[in-house]
Amino acid sequence: MMNLTTPHTLLRLTQLSLALQPLCYGLTALASLGPTTAWAQAASLPSDRHTVQLPAGQLAATLARYAADVGVILAFDAQLLAGRQSPALSGQFTVAEGFARLLEATPYRVERVADQRYRLVQRPSSSAEKEPAMLEPVVVTAPLLRTPGKLDQQMLQLLPAANGDLTSQLRINPNIQFDEAQLSSATGGEISPAEISIHGAKPYQNEMLVDGLSIANDLDPGNKIVTTNPEYIPGQAQALAYDSSQLCNARVLDSNVPAEYGRFTGGVVEAELCRARKKLGGSVSIGYTSSAWSEQIIDPKRQSAFEQSSDADNQPRYRKWTYKANVEARPSEDWGVVVSAVRRESEIPLKRFSTDNSSNVVSQEVTQTRRMDALAIKADWSPKDSPHSGDITFSYAPSENGYFIADGKDSDYQIRSGGVALSGRLVSELGDVTLNQQLSLMQNEQSRRSDADYYRAWRWSTAKNWGDASKSNPSSIEGAWGDVDQTLRTVNYKLGASFDLAGDSALSHKIGTGIDIKHQTAEYLRLSTTRYWLTASNLPTSGAMASCQYADGSVDTEGCSATATQTQGRGQYFRRLITYQAGGAEMEALSSAAYIDDQMRWRDWQLRLGLRADHDTLTRDFNLAPRSSLTWEAAPGLSLNAGANRYYGRSLLAYALQDQIHTLQYTQTRPSNSLVWSSPVQSKTTNRLSDIDSPYDDEATVGFSWEPDWAGGLFDVRLTRRDGKEQIVKRLVTGQSECASSQCYMYTNQGSSQTRDFTLSWSSRTPWRLGNSRTSFWLAFNKSDVKSNYSSYADTYSSDKAADEIIQYDGKFIRYSDMPADNYNRPWTLRLGAITSLPAYSLSISNLLRIRDGYQQMLQDGSTTYQGRTVDVWRKTTLPRSLTLDTVIAWNPRISGDQRAQVKLSIENLTNRKNMLSVSDSYATYERGRTFTLELGYQF
C-alpha cells in the first residue's frame, strides 16, 4: 500500500499535477481568443447528456434550477406557471429530455431559439394545428450560476480553499480582499474562517446569510485579544461557521443591493444549504495535511526562534484533520431531508517555555488544539397541488481553540465560539402575491474556560523555579484568566411579499416589500471569582513578615514566598491584588426594519427604486436608506447600469456590554511593612457608550454588462465609489470623573473611510470542449484605492486621529485620514480560474491563479517638525508583487452503481513562490509555500 505521507509520494503527486497543467493552460489561452466554430458547434449539441438530481417542487423554480445545472438560458413568464408543481428528476438526460420530463403534465414545452438559449412555448391543442403560438419572453429567470459573484455546488467543492470555509471560496470575486495574515506561513495550523473586506468595509460589517439566517457575529467580532486581557474574549466575524461542502450555492451582493437587505456597510454573502435530491444517498470522507506537507517560508533571521516557538503566532509544527459525513433521503416527491456533519481539528505542538530550563519540573511541551464542528439538518417540504412550500434548518456549529500563556504553568485555557440555530421558512403563492416568512432562533457564544482562576507573576526562586533562570530579571508565571461566558440569544422574524403589476403594455412593475424584526439578548457572566496578583516586592530580612506570617501566626501561602529570589536575595510578596468578582451584565436590543422595492420596466429601461427604514434601541436612530438602480439595454447583449445607494451598518452589543464589565473588578493593596490587605475598592467603568449614531456608507456606481458573440461569455465592468461615514471607533477621553482614573474609552462616530474600486470580470457562458474535456473559465480584475483612519472599533483611536491632524507620510505632509488603509488594500488584483472536467476518467481539475500587486505597509518612524509643532512620521514600505497558483485534482471513479470513491488533492501555491506578507525592522513574514491536502472518501 502506498504511503501518502512520504516525500517520494508527494513528489509523484506534484508531478501528476504539473503534467496536467499544460491542458488547463492551453484551454485558458484558447479561451482568450474566443471559441472556434467547431467548439461552438460542439458546445451547442442538444444530444449531450447531463447527470441531474432535482427534487419535486415549484415548477418555475425547478425549471430555473435545471437550466442553470445544464448550462442553458431559459426565458419564460413565471406567472404562467404559478401554482404548478414539478416532478422529481433524477438520472442522465439531454437538455431536451429534461425539459420534456419537467413539462410533461403541462400545456407547455421549450423551444431552442439560439445557441444555448431556450424559451417556453405553448403546445398545440391537436396535431392538426399550425405552428404553436409563441409566448413573449417576459423574465429571464435562469442565468448561469457560475460567475465570480455566483458560485454553484461544483465551484464550492472544487475551488481551492485550505480550510474549506465559505469565505475562503470567494477568492475569485474581484470586490473582495482578504486579511493579509490569513495565509501566513507562520500560522499554518489555524482553521478559522477567512475574514474578508468588501469595498473597504471592516469584516464585521458584512451581512452573512445561510438559508436566510444571519450568521454574522453581533457580539464582539472585532476583539482579537488572546492572552493579554482577563476581561475580553477574542472573536471573529462569523458567529456560525459552515463548511463549503454543506452548501449548494453562494453569491455576493456587493453593489446596488436591494432594500430587502440591511445591517451592513460592506456587502452581503448569501448561501444555501443543500436539499435532498436522492431517494437515499450520502458520503463519508477524511482529509489530512500537516507542516510536513507544507513548505514553511520563514525569514532566516527568525528561523531558530520559530523552531523553538512558545507563541501561537509561530507554529513550526501542526497536523490538521477533516472528517465529513452526510446522508440524504427523499422518501417522496413532497419532502426530503439532509443530515451533514463536518469536524475540522488541528494539533499544534509548542514549547511551553521560550527557553530550555533543565531544573524545570513542568512539562516543556504542550499541544495546542483547534476544533470546529458543523452539523446541519435540513428538511424541505413542497407538496403537489399546494400553494405552500417550506424548509426547516437546524444547525449546531461549536468551536473550541486551546491556548496557554507562554512561560507559565497551569496557564491553559480554551476559547469557545459558535452556537446553535433553528430556522423555518414558508413560501405561499397566493394568486398574484408570493409571501415569504421566516422565523429563526439562534444562540452563539464568545467564551473562555481556564485551568485556573488565579494569575501570579512571581520572581524566579528555587521555590518558584519553572521560569527561565538565565534571563536578567527571571520570572515564573502561573495561572490563567478564569472562566467567562458571553452569549447572544437572537429571535428574528421576516415577512416579505412580492407581486407583479402589469400596467399598460409598455410599463410593468415588480413590487417587493416586507418587514424584519430582531430581538437580541447579550449576557456577560464571570462564572467564578478570579484573583490577579501583581507587583512582586521584597520581604524584610527579619521578623515574622520575612516568613510570610501574619500577626496571628498564620501564613500567607497565596501571595507570599519566603524563599529568596535569584536577583534580590530575599523573599517576595505581592502588594496589589485585583479580584474579578463572579457576576455579570446583560443587555437587550430590538431592531426593526421595513422596506419596499419597485422594479419598473419600460421598453429597454429598468428602474429600481427602493427605500429601507431601520431602527434599533442601541443607537435609538431611525434611519432611511434609499436604494436606486437604472439599467438600459442599449443593444442585444449590452446593458448599461448606474446606481446610488446608502447602507447602514449594524450596532454591536459589545459597545454597551463593555460599559458594565469593568465594574466587576475590585482592587486591594498592602504597604511595604505589612501583609494586611486594604479594603477592596470597586473599579469605575473604563468604557462608556456615548450618544453614537449608526455608521453608514454612501455608494455610487456605474458600469455595463456585455456579452458579444466572439467572447463566449459575459463581461461585467463596474466603477464603485464608497464613502464611509459616522464609523464607530474607540477613543481615550480624559476628565471623566465617573470613570476609573478619570479617563474612559468612549465609542464615538469619528471613524471614516473612502474606497474607489474598478472591477472587470468575465465568465464563460457554457463549458468549452476539447476532446472529452469540458472547461469553465473565470477572470476577475480589481483596481482599488482604500483610505481609512481606523482599523477596528476595538482599537484605541488616538487624539491625533480624532482631530485628523497633519502627519508626514512618505515624505509628504498630509491629513491622517488621507493615509492608505493598513489592511485589505492591495492596489490591484488579477484572478483567473478554470475547472476542467474529464467525465470519461471521472476526473476534475481546478486552478486558481491570483496575481496581487505589491502591498504598501505603513511603519511609524519617529517625529518631525511642521509649522513649529511636532508631528508623527510614517514611512511607506512597498512589498513585492505576489503570485499564487492553487490547484485541486478530484477523482471520483465509479465502484458499482451509484457508489463512487472520492480522491481530492489540493495544492496551495503550486509553484512554491516566496510571497512576502509584511516587514518590520527585524524580519519579514511570508505566505505559505507549496502545501498539500489530501481527502479520501466514499459516496453512495
Side-chain angles (χ1 to χ4, degrees):
M1 179 177 178
M2 182 175 62
N3 185 353
L4 295 174
T5 63
T6 64
H8 176 68
T9 303
L10 291 176
L11 178 60
R12 293 183 63 185
L13 293 172
T14 306
Q15 290 171 341
L16 170 62
S17 175
L18 290 171
L20 293 169
Q21 291 299 314
L23 171 62
C24 295
Y25 295 156
L27 292 173
T28 304
L30 287 171
S32 66
L33 301 176
T36 64
T37 302
W39 276 38
Q41 291 173 349
S44 64
L45 287 175
S47 61
D48 296 332
R49 306 188 73 82
H50 304 267
T51 300
V52 179
Q53 294 284 347
L54 288 175
Q58 301 293 331
L59 179 56
T62 305
L63 281 174
R65 179 65 197 181
Y66 174 74
D69 284 352
V70 299
V72 301
I73 294 176
L74 175 66
F76 67 98
D77 184 353
Q79 291 300 315
L80 295 172
L81 305 177
R84 293 185 180 272
Q85 299 293 308
S86 71
L89 191 64
S90 177
Q92 290 191 332
F93 305 92
T94 65
V95 171
E97 288 173 348
F99 278 129
R101 291 285 187 92
L102 293 174
L103 296 169
E104 187 174 10
T106 73
Y108 305 109
R109 65 179 178 87
V110 299
E111 181 173 87
R112 190 154 64 109
V113 295
D115 180 27
Q116 304 300 311
R117 294 176 183 271
Y118 293 76
R119 62 181 172 185
L120 194 70
V121 298
Q122 191 169 2
R123 299 177 190 273
S125 58
S126 70
S127 59
E129 287 193 23
K130 297 180 180 180
E131 289 294 315
M134 299 282 184
L135 295 173
E136 184 67 24
V138 177
V139 184
V140 177
T141 60
L144 289 178
L145 288 176
R146 293 180 177 180
T147 70
K150 298 179 181 179
L151 283 67
D152 65 2
Q153 187 175 14
Q154 186 185 34
M155 292 177 71
L156 288 167
Q157 292 180 353
L158 292 181
L159 281 180
N163 289 327
D165 57 287
L166 169 60
T167 42
S168 289
Q169 300 285 24
L170 303 177
R171 282 183 288 178
I172 192 67
N173 189 292
N175 297 299
I176 291 178
Q177 297 221 30
F178 286 76
D179 185 357
E180 289 297 315
Q182 191 70 35
L183 295 176
S184 172
S185 192
T187 54
E190 299 298 334
I191 60 175
S192 296
E195 300 218 322
I196 61 173
S197 171
I198 300 178
H199 290 307
K202 308 308 177 186
Y204 51 82
Q205 281 292 4
N206 297 317
E207 179 64 292
M208 307 283 293
L209 299 171
V210 174
D211 279 2
L213 170 74
S214 175
I215 62 169
N217 182 5
D218 288 338
L219 197 52
D220 195 5
N223 234 322
K224 304 302 179 185
I225 298 170
V226 178
T227 61
T228 58
N229 194 299
E231 294 178 324
Y232 304 134
I233 317 297
Q236 55 192 21
Q238 294 182 43
L240 303 181
Y242 294 90
D243 191 83
S244 59
S245 64
Q246 299 172 304
L247 307 171
C248 277
N249 62 75
R251 65 171 179 162
V252 178
L253 305 175
D254 59 81
S255 63
N256 292 327
V257 183
E260 175 186 354
Y261 301 93
R263 305 177 72 249
F264 68 92
T265 57
V268 179
V269 179
E270 192 172 36
E272 289 283 333
L273 291 166
C274 292
R275 294 178 178 233
R277 295 186 177 184
K278 299 180 180 180
K279 286 189 175 181
L280 180 63
S283 64
V284 292
S285 68
I286 183 171
Y288 178 77
T289 188
S290 71
S291 53
W293 288 22
S294 177
E295 293 287 339
Q296 295 176 302
I297 302 176
I298 304 298
D299 193 321
K301 297 178 182 177
R302 64 187 297 221
Q303 183 70 46
S304 177
F306 177 76
E307 294 294 338
Q308 300 298 318
S309 171
S310 60
D311 183 355
D313 291 334
N314 294 284
Q315 301 170 3
R317 292 170 292 155
Y318 63 86
R319 295 178 297 274
K320 296 162 72 170
W321 295 89
T322 303
Y323 309 94
K324 301 179 183 179
N326 84 286
V327 177
E328 61 178 293
R330 184 159 289 280
S332 73
E333 295 181 357
D334 291 349
W335 69 280
V337 63
V338 176
V339 180
S340 62
V342 178
R343 165 167 287 188
R344 292 188 181 273
E345 59 184 23
S346 177
E347 299 174 346
I348 308 169
L350 293 171
K351 302 290 185 181
R352 185 179 290 276
F353 298 92
S354 55
T355 57
D356 289 332
N357 181 5
S358 59
S359 65
N360 187 1
V361 296
V362 179
S363 171
Q364 289 289 321
E365 185 173 275
V366 63
T367 298
Q368 292 193 357
T369 58
R370 311 284 188 265
R371 189 182 73 224
M372 296 180 65
D373 293 329
L375 170 66
I377 304 174
K378 181 172 183 176
D380 66 276
W381 170 71
S382 52
K384 290 181 178 180
D385 304 321
S386 171
H388 305 290
S389 62
D391 58 53
I392 296 177
T393 302
F394 172 79
S395 302
Y396 178 58
S399 172
E400 183 170 295
N401 295 340
Y403 300 91
F404 61 84
I405 300 174
D407 292 321
K409 75 169 186 175
D410 300 327
S411 64
D412 292 2
Y413 64 96
Q414 295 79 41
I415 300 298
R416 297 179 177 180
S417 58
V420 61
L422 178 64
S423 175
R425 296 186 293 185
L426 178 66
V427 179
S428 303
E429 295 185 359
L430 307 175
D432 295 333
V433 179
T434 300
L435 293 180
N436 289 270
Q437 300 183 74
Q438 180 170 18
L439 177 63
S440 58
L441 311 172
M442 185 171 76
Q443 177 171 303
N444 63 285
E445 68 172 323
Q446 194 169 320
S447 305
R448 180 181 60 220
R449 290 293 183 273
S450 302
D451 278 5
D453 57 4
Y454 59 86
Y455 175 88
R456 302 184 183 97
W458 297 102
R459 294 170 177 171
W460 195 94
S461 69
T462 55
K464 313 294 181 184
N465 66 346
W466 51 87
D468 182 11
S470 65
K471 293 182 177 180
S472 57
N473 290 301
S475 62
S476 291
I477 297 171
E478 64 174 328
W481 306 123
D483 298 344
V484 170
D485 274 352
Q486 287 186 124
T487 57
L488 178 63
R489 295 181 294 276
T490 303
V491 181
N492 189 199
Y493 174 72
K494 298 178 183 179
L495 170 64
S498 61
F499 51 92
D500 291 334
L501 298 178
D504 57 33
S505 59
L507 179 65
S508 64
H509 297 261
K510 186 173 183 178
I511 308 294
T513 185
I515 59 173
D516 187 341
I517 302 173
K518 178 176 292 190
H519 181 269
Q520 296 178 300
T521 302
E523 184 179 38
Y524 178 99
L525 180 63
R526 183 172 286 276
L527 301 183
S528 60
T529 299
T530 304
R531 291 179 172 82
Y532 186 27
W533 309 77
L534 294 171
T535 316
S537 300
N538 292 333
L539 287 171
T541 57
S542 60
M545 186 176 172
S547 300
C548 296
Q549 291 185 11
Y550 291 106
D552 61 1
S554 61
V555 177
D556 181 357
T557 58
E558 291 186 308
C560 184
S561 174
T563 305
T565 63
Q566 177 174 285
T567 52
Q568 279 75 25
R570 61 174 79 178
Q572 59 182 313
Y573 75 114
F574 294 109
R575 294 184 58 184
R576 188 156 64 105
L577 173 62
I578 297 176
T579 301
Y580 295 94
Q581 294 284 7
E586 186 174 285
M587 175 63 60
E588 292 189 2
L590 177 66
S591 61
S592 56
Y595 66 88
I596 185 170
D597 253 321
D598 184 0
Q599 185 169 317
M600 294 166 276
R601 178 185 287 270
W602 179 74
R603 294 183 179 177
D604 297 327
W605 295 87
Q606 292 184 59
L607 174 63
R608 195 203 75 232
L609 293 177
L611 183 66
R612 182 180 178 91
D614 287 276
H615 177 267
D616 75 79
T617 56
L618 279 178
T619 63
R620 299 181 296 278
D621 286 343
F622 179 77
N623 302 313
L624 292 176
R627 311 280 177 90
S628 62
S629 174
L630 178 64
T631 301
W632 175 40
E633 297 176 5
L638 175 63
S639 62
L640 311 179
N641 177 270
N645 303 276
R646 173 170 288 188
Y647 310 119
Y648 278 94
R650 66 186 184 277
S651 299
L652 303 173
L653 277 297
Y655 305 158
L657 277 180
Q658 291 180 9
D659 196 16
Q660 306 175 48
I661 290 173
H662 200 64
T663 58
L664 297 174
Q665 175 182 312
Y666 292 77
T667 302
Q668 296 172 268
T669 59
R670 49 188 178 184
S672 59
N673 59 353
S674 173
L675 294 178
V676 178
W677 291 105
S678 65
S679 298
V681 176
Q682 184 178 12
S683 295
K684 298 180 179 179
T685 183
T686 58
N687 289 277
R688 282 184 57 202
L689 183 63
S690 63
D691 187 16
I692 61 174
D693 297 321
S694 301
Y696 66 91
D697 268 29
D698 282 334
E699 173 189 85
T701 178
V702 294
F704 65 88
S705 297
W706 185 34
E707 191 174 5
D709 292 336
W710 56 264
L714 178 68
F715 288 100
D716 188 80
V717 178
R718 197 178 332 141
L719 180 64
T720 304
R721 169 176 174 160
R722 287 280 190 91
D723 292 317
K725 303 174 183 178
E726 305 289 344
Q727 308 296 300
I728 306 298
V729 296
K730 186 167 67 174
R731 284 192 58 200
L732 181 61
V733 181
T734 59
Q736 305 293 308
S737 59
E738 69 273 28
C739 297
S741 303
S742 297
Q743 59 182 14
C744 262
Y745 294 105
M746 296 182 63
Y747 290 104
T748 73
N749 289 106
Q750 292 177 295
S752 63
S753 63
Q754 186 182 83
T755 303
R756 305 292 181 264
D757 272 332
F758 169 80
T759 58
L760 164 67
S761 64
W762 172 87
S763 55
S764 55
R765 181 172 60 242
T766 57
W768 295 28
R769 301 174 184 271
L770 181 62
N772 291 325
S773 69
R774 295 183 297 176
T775 303
S776 299
F777 298 95
W778 302 270
L779 176 148
F781 173 80
N782 167 267
K783 191 177 188 307
S784 181
D785 181 19
V786 180
K787 294 182 174 65
S788 178
N789 62 1
Y790 74 108
S791 297
S792 164
Y793 70 85
D795 295 335
T796 303
Y797 191 74
S798 60
S799 59
D800 57 336
K801 296 179 185 179
D804 201 14
E805 294 183 356
I806 295 291
I807 62 169
Q808 187 185 72
Y809 168 66
D810 197 28
K812 299 178 182 178
F813 291 98
I814 63 173
R815 293 286 178 184
Y816 188 93
S817 60
D818 291 328
M819 194 167 67
D822 61 354
N823 201 354
Y824 307 101
N825 192 19
R826 294 275 184 172
W828 62 262
T829 62
L830 176 64
R831 316 172 202 209
L832 301 171
I835 295 181
T836 299
S837 299
L838 297 163
Y841 302 99
S842 302
L843 187 68
S844 296
I845 307 167
S846 63
N847 293 276
L848 179 59
L849 174 67
R850 292 177 298 133
I851 305 173
R852 291 160 290 158
D853 193 19
Y855 186 71
Q856 293 183 351
Q857 183 179 349
M858 279 65 72
L859 300 175
Q860 193 162 4
D861 190 19
S863 60
T864 189
T865 302
Y866 174 76
Q867 295 182 352
R869 58 193 179 93
T870 301
V871 298
D872 291 335
V873 173
W874 293 78
R875 59 182 170 88
K876 177 176 65 176
T877 301
T878 301
L879 305 182
R881 187 171 299 163
S882 298
L883 184 151
T884 307
L885 175 63
D886 299 328
T887 298
V888 175
I889 303 171
W891 183 42
N892 300 303
R894 187 183 302 278
I895 299 174
S896 175
D898 290 335
Q899 301 178 65
R900 290 180 176 271
Q902 295 177 322
V903 181
K904 181 178 176 181
L905 176 67
S906 302
I907 311 172
E908 284 187 300
N909 196 0
L910 180 67
T911 61
N912 203 34
R913 184 179 173 92
K914 192 175 183 180
N915 294 320
M916 187 179 294
L917 280 177
S918 64
V919 65
S920 68
D921 294 333
S922 304
Y923 56 83
T925 59
Y926 298 88
E927 292 182 11
R928 288 191 292 276
R930 186 185 300 115
T931 301
F932 295 90
T933 302
L934 182 64
E935 184 175 332
L936 302 176
Y938 164 73
Q939 178 182 340
F940 63 94

